[in-house]
Coordinates of all heavy atoms in Angstrom, one line a residue:
K22 N -18.5 -7.5 12.8 CA -17.5 -8.4 12.5 C -16.1 -7.7 12.6 O -16.1 -6.5 13.1 CB -17.6 -8.8 11.0 CG -17.5 -7.7 10.0 CD -17.7 -8.3 8.6 CE -18.2 -7.3 7.6 NZ -18.5 -7.9 6.3
F24 N -13.8 -5.6 11.4 CA -13.8 -4.7 10.2 C -12.3 -4.4 9.8 O -12.1 -4.0 8.6 CB -14.6 -3.4 10.5 CG -16.0 -3.7 10.3 CD1 -16.9 -3.7 11.5 CD2 -16.7 -3.8 9.1 CE1 -18.1 -3.9 11.3 CE2 -18.0 -4.1 8.9 CZ -18.7 -4.1 10.1
H27 N -11.5 -7.5 7.7 CA -12.4 -7.5 6.5 C -11.8 -6.4 5.5 O -11.7 -6.6 4.3 CB -13.8 -7.1 7.0 CG -14.7 -6.6 5.8 ND1 -15.2 -7.5 4.9 CD2 -15.2 -5.4 5.6 CE1 -15.9 -6.8 4.0 NE2 -16.0 -5.6 4.4
V31 N -10.4 -6.6 1.7 CA -11.1 -5.9 0.6 C -10.0 -5.0 -0.1 O -10.0 -4.9 -1.4 CB -12.3 -5.0 1.1 CG1 -12.9 -4.3 -0.3 CG2 -13.3 -5.9 1.7
H56 N -15.0 2.4 3.4 CA -16.3 1.9 3.1 C -17.1 1.4 4.4 O -18.4 1.5 4.4 CB -16.4 0.9 2.0 CG -16.2 -0.5 2.4 ND1 -14.9 -1.0 2.6 CD2 -17.1 -1.5 2.6 CE1 -15.1 -2.3 2.9 NE2 -16.4 -2.6 2.9
D57 N -16.4 0.9 5.4 CA -17.2 0.4 6.6 C -17.0 1.3 7.8 O -17.3 0.9 9.0 CB -16.9 -0.9 6.8 CG -17.6 -2.0 6.0 OD1 -18.8 -1.7 5.8 OD2 -17.1 -3.0 5.6
Ligands
LIG1 FE1 -17.5 -4.1 3.9

Side-chain angles (χ1 to χ4, degrees):
K22 58 182 160 186
F24 284 105
H27 166 72
V31 180
H56 87 277
D57 276 326

